[in-house]
Every structure is written in structure tokens, then in C-alpha cells.
Amino acid sequence: MTLQFSRSLYEQAAIEATVAAFSELATFTVQADEDGIKVEMTDASPDVDDLADHFANHALHLSITMTRRAAEGAQS
Amino acid sequence: MSDTDTQPSSELEELVFDTDGRRVAFTLDEELYPRDAILGAAYLFVDRCFVFLARPADRMVQVRLKGKSADADLEALAGEFANALLDQVVRFRISESTGKLREYAFARAFFTTPAQSSIDQLLAELDDEELEEDDLEVAVPWEQ
């Protein structure tokens, strides 16, 4: 399964952190280019339903948190 | 409102969305809904449902919501997201329009009064304060 994340909506660091967090549940290959960040997920654990959705949620949550922290840092 | 189970594309007031029974998707124009407002609304929903954001075109953001359970009310979810989104847009616009004023107020509060004189003034106030007599005459360490 391949997930395509837009660079303008997701932070690459957040996706890499999510890959690290989910590394025991599947094998991930990350490819980043100008268009976006592509994550290929293989050997997903059968024990977890909706693993790709959980992955995307986690990545979004981290991206928003990182974006907010960066904005707060820029203001102070 | 139309039936979301049978219609591939439905409308919730002005919000047009597609659903396949498990997911609901709608596309937002960043001219109307700033990116930060969309992210703010998405942040509020990540614990309730699966949220995925995509950019189908420049200045457009597609929001895909998927219920965490199979019987999630997708139309209600889309409506609640739209409400949260409007709330975030209002917050964003107010924050933008009052940003300079807020900065000015903070700057004035923190930097216009010299810090040293404030401390001296507080110390002087403490010195002038008449401490009340303690009826119970509880001993304090520095008086022993």
C-alpha cells in the first residue's frame, strides 16, 4: 500500500517520526520528492486494523504539532 | 439533506461531499478556508476519526474522514467538521486582524515601564505595609 502525502500539508520530519513509531508494525519505504512524500507500507501486521489510517492520523497530528511549535518559535 | 448511503455525492447545506459508506470526502478552497484553519479543524478530529489531507490542485485541500467504527455517521461527521472549520476560520481571521494590536499591548505591558523601578516600588510597598498582630502568637523561626 502506498500513501502519498503533500509537502504543503505534512512535515517530512513528522512522517519520518511516524515511520519510526510504527516500525514494529510494518515495513516502510519513504521516498521524498518535490511533489510530496511517498510512503510504501509492506508486511503490515495483521493484528492491527486500518494500519494505514492510523499511520496517516499519527503523521497528521505530528505535522500540525510541529507546524504550531515552529510558528510559536518564530513569534518569540 | 439527501441520503448519503445511496448518493455518491451529497450536500450538507453548502458543503458538497462524497461518501462511499465508510469515508466522507470534500474539497476546500484555501481562499475561503485558510490552511491553518483546516489544520486546526483536522487537529480536533484526529482522535474521533481517521483524517487524511490531500492537495488535488493548487490552493485546494481535500479532507477525507473515515469513521473509526463501521457504523459511524459520516454525514454528521462531515457537518461537525464543517462547524469546527468555520470556528477555526473565525479564530484565524480574528487572530490575523488583531495581531498587531496584541503585539502592541504586550510590548507596552512588558517594555514601557522600567523593570527596576517596579521592583523598587513593590519593595517600598512591602516596607510600608503594617503587619497585623498575630493573636495566636505563633512563633516563627526567625523570631526564635
Side-chain angles (χ1 to χ4, degrees), chain B:
Chain B
M1 283 182 217
S2 53
D3 186 357
T4 56
D5 293 335
T6 54
Q7 298 281 333
S9 181
S10 305
E11 274 185 39
L12 186 74
E13 300 299 332
E14 295 299 318
L15 181 71
V16 180
F17 60 88
D18 296 312
T19 179
D20 63 359
R22 184 76 205 273
R23 292 180 181 81
V24 62
F26 42 91
T27 303
L28 303 167
D29 186 343
E30 275 191 87
E31 294 291 328
L32 295 172
Y33 306 101
R35 190 193 75 133
D36 285 349
I38 298 171
L39 292 177
Y43 186 81
L44 297 174
F45 274 70
V46 289
D47 64 333
R48 294 182 52 191
C49 61
F50 297 116
V51 185
F52 188 80
L53 302 178
R55 194 175 282 289
D58 195 31
R59 308 287 301 164
M60 303 297 277
V61 177
Q62 187 192 45
V63 179
R64 285 182 235 163
L65 307 176
K66 181 180 172 184
K68 289 191 174 177
S69 63
D71 59 348
D73 185 346
L74 296 175
E75 189 172 338
L77 203 57
E80 284 171 40
F81 190 93
N83 278 353
L85 183 59
L86 277 179
D87 181 51
Q88 293 292 320
V89 170
V90 171
R91 283 169 186 266
F92 181 80
R93 300 276 186 226
I94 290 172
S95 167
E96 249 189 356
S97 63
T98 59
K100 287 281 175 205
L101 189 64
R102 210 168 44 248
E103 278 173 26
Y104 175 75
F106 272 113
R108 194 174 161 80
F110 283 111
F111 303 116
T112 53
T113 310
Q116 190 57 44
S117 69
S118 298
I119 293 167
D120 291 343
Q121 195 178 355
L122 285 170
L123 288 172
E125 277 177 26
L126 283 173
D127 287 342
D128 293 343
E129 246 180 36
E130 288 182 16
L131 298 176
E132 287 180 15
E133 289 296 320
D134 183 4
D135 295 337
L136 298 175
E137 295 182 347
V138 177
V140 288
W142 56 88
E143 287 179 347
Q144 285 173 347

